[in-house]
Amino acid sequence: MTDEREPIRVGVLGARGRMGLEVCKAVDAAEDLELVAMVDQGDWLFNASDAGAQVLVDFTTPDVVMDNLHYAVDQGINVVVGTTGFTEQRLDRVRGWLSHKPGVGVLIAPNFGIGAVLMMQFAERAARFFESVEIVEQHHPRKLDAPSGTASHTARRIAEARAAAGCGPMPDATKESLAGARGAEIDGVRVHAVRASGLVAHQEVLFGTEGETLTIRHDSLDRVSFMPGVLLAVRSIMSRPGLTIGLDALLD
Ligand SMILES: NC(=O)C1=CN([C@@H]2O[C@H](COP(=O)(O)OP(=O)(O)OC[C@H]3O[C@@H](n4cnc5c(N)ncnc54)[C@H](O)[C@@H]3O)[C@@H](O)[C@H]2O)C=CC1
Ligand SMILES: O=C(O)C1=N[C@H](C(=O)O)C[C@H](O)C1
């Protein structure tokens, strides 16, 4: 029996970037997907709509991603977004655009690594059992933003789980003698960002309570680690209208 389905036509935004290049390779290698547009800085975004893209994959920068998304939704094109920088206000703007285009799907994931998705789920589950928790994220030095989207998302999920369980503030008597020594704070959770050559993308979530600690660590050693998640999102997004945050719902 032959599969008569047409391949999904995919355009990649940020196509010459570290992630974009990898996504182009992965899409090109997938028999059920067709790479119809590769757009980077200086190219016209409407190349992607002219090429009949049904799904756009965005790995660009936080300062351009909102314009790309607005254009795509306006054109009725589904979007898979890996670019960082999404605040609640930004997500509300996306929801507003989508309310005028009910058939369009947008998936925004802070991390497409399956192991990273599980790391966030495990951290959320562990959150209520420990007095203390801090996050250490480590990335390559060409990364533009800090803290990482993954660390911010993990911190928010931990904070929500702690609040739902009625956990109080974490014990911490330290007074900083140098600003920044204790990292940044997201919803009460400390986040530390390390940048060093040789790293790709890594995160540790360190929990502590009386007499024990638990460390949950994830390492992306190569950007191929993100591709199964990206391809899963591309294949799913046309049947998921509206806004989906994270890959979790696609893995259930
Ligand atoms: N969600 C996830 O799993 C992952 C997310 N990321 C995020 O993806 C983003 C990109 O990361 P990298 O590929 O490492 O960065 P990069 O700097 O290598 O690539 C970004 C690309 O976007 C291009 N670009 C800039 N403005 C553009 C525009 N208006 N239209 C089209 N292209 C444009 C740049 O020229 C560059 O080629 C970052 O926000 C990063 O944090 C990175 C890895 C995994
Ligand atoms: O810029 C990167 O490299 C990565 N960005 C994402 C983030 O900020 O969380 C995902 C992953 O950590 C790699």
Side-chain angles (χ1 to χ4, degrees):
M1 216 169 79
T2 53
D3 188 349
E4 308 270 313
R5 276 176 301 183
E6 293 285 319
I8 300 170
R9 294 188 300 278
V10 182
V12 177
L13 311 182
R16 289 195 290 272
R18 285 175 289 271
M19 282 298 289
L21 283 169
E22 209 60 59
V23 174
C24 289
K25 272 197 271 176
V27 170
D28 217 23
E31 283 188 1
D32 59 334
L33 308 177
E34 186 185 357
L35 182 62
V36 296
M38 296 169 65
V39 177
D40 206 279
Q41 205 165 14
D43 302 329
W44 296 108
L45 196 47
F46 57 67
N47 288 351
S49 37
D50 281 0
Q54 296 165 289
V55 179
L56 291 182
V57 180
D58 189 302
F59 282 96
T60 58
T61 62
D63 54 330
V64 303
V65 64
M66 289 302 278
D67 286 347
N68 291 348
L69 247 175
H70 195 182
Y71 176 84
V73 172
D74 217 38
Q75 296 291 312
I77 307 175
N78 306 284
V79 201
V80 169
V81 183
T83 309
T84 44
F86 281 87
T87 56
E88 261 318 304
Q89 290 84 337
R90 282 188 166 205
L91 295 175
D92 279 343
R93 283 173 63 201
V94 178
R95 287 186 188 99
W97 301 331
L98 284 169
S99 67
H100 302 289
K101 296 279 179 181
V104 176
V106 171
L107 182 142
I108 301 173
N111 200 312
F112 283 98
I114 308 293
V117 174
L118 293 173
M119 175 251 302
M120 289 186 265
Q121 292 180 1
F122 298 157
E124 183 176 358
R125 177 155 162 65
R128 70 190 168 96
F129 298 106
F130 292 86
E131 279 182 355
S132 308
V133 55
E134 304 214 357
I135 297 172
V136 184
E137 58 99 323
Q138 306 181 355
H139 282 85
H140 59 93
R142 290 189 300 273
K143 183 164 176 59
L144 296 180
D145 53 328
S148 71
T150 307
S152 305
H153 193 70
T154 312
R156 284 191 209 102
R157 284 175 67 165
I158 289 172
E160 271 172 36
R162 285 176 61 92
C167 300
M170 297 180 210
D172 182 3
T174 303
K175 293 228 179 320
E176 281 180 327
S177 55
L178 191 62
R182 293 282 293 112
E185 207 179 296
I186 298 177
D187 294 350
V189 179
R190 294 274 171 188
V191 179
H192 310 266
V194 176
R195 298 290 175 263
S197 295
L199 295 175
V200 179
H202 318 259
Q203 179 166 295
E204 272 187 17
V205 188
L206 172 62
F207 291 97
T209 194
E210 300 265 307
E212 64 173 327
T213 64
L214 168 69
T215 304
I216 304 172
R217 180 178 174 107
H218 176 259
D219 297 275
S220 269
L221 305 170
D222 189 296
R223 290 182 179 82
V224 294
S225 61
F226 303 112
M227 295 306 120
V230 171
L231 296 188
L232 174 64
V234 168
R235 291 178 176 124
S236 311
I237 194 60
M238 285 164 61
S239 52
R240 293 190 71 89
L243 180 61
T244 305
I245 309 290
L247 213 57
D248 304 65
L250 277 59
L251 298 179
D252 289 340

